[in-house]
Amino acid sequence: RQYNRALMLKTALLLLVSGILAGLSAHWVRSDGLRLFGPTPSQAKTSEFQTIGLDEARALWEGGTVPFVDARPRVDYDKGHIPRSIYAYPDDEAASSGLFQLLDPNQPVVIYCAGGECKDTLHLAEKLKPLGFAQMKLFMGGWPEWEKAGYPKE
């Protein structure tokens, strides 16, 4: 009986240590890491930029003076996007470099993508920041939130 109890404790300890090692290995291997403590890498990057919600995005869009930039892949943009938004997927060099010529870095711009952590929005903002764009507003709810609200779309 005592032998079984000792064996069960050793097995449980072995499973616990194996689980911890597997988690740490996955954290090391993944390019974005696993969230162990604190904010995710995307959340940390988001804090460098001004984020806006659906109401502010709609008000800026209705004002008609702040350009909107869609940072989703072309296939998603073609399926539907916020009216008057400019396509600029960050990994499409032709689209994102052309964007620099269309926008004034001294004026506000709203960047959105597919919602969630909105990695493409962050990626594009990181490309624009060194070029002097200081008034970027990241609409993290992005296209899904806009569409769900029933707002205009093209």
Side-chain angles (χ1 to χ4, degrees), residues 48-50 66-71 86-112 119-139:
E48 296 176 27
F49 303 101
Q50 180 185 0
V66 176
F68 274 59
V69 177
D70 189 324
I86 302 164
Y87 164 73
Y89 183 58
D91 291 338
D92 181 338
E93 289 302 320
S96 59
S97 64
L99 177 67
F100 310 138
Q101 298 168 0
L102 293 172
L103 301 175
D104 180 351
N106 298 310
Q107 297 299 315
V109 60
V110 173
I111 305 172
Y112 71 94
K119 292 179 182 177
D120 293 327
T121 295
L122 291 169
H123 187 186
L124 185 58
E126 288 170 344
K127 287 178 87 170
L128 291 173
K129 188 177 180 179
L131 299 172
F133 287 83
Q135 298 185 56
M136 294 176 287
K137 299 174 185 296
L138 310 186
F139 173 32

Side-chain angles (χ1 to χ4, degrees), residues 67-88:
F68 274 59
V69 177
D70 189 324
R72 298 175 302 149
R74 171 59 82 176
V75 66
D76 295 327
Y77 178 85
D78 289 343
K79 288 179 186 175
H81 54 271
I82 296 173
R84 302 186 309 268
S85 64
I86 302 164
Y87 164 73

Side-chain angles (χ1 to χ4, degrees), residues 54 72 112-116 118 139-150:
L54 179 62
R72 298 175 302 149
Y112 71 94
C113 68
C118 240
F139 173 32
M140 301 306 284
W143 175 246
E145 195 172 335
W146 184 274
E147 188 176 36
K148 184 179 179 182

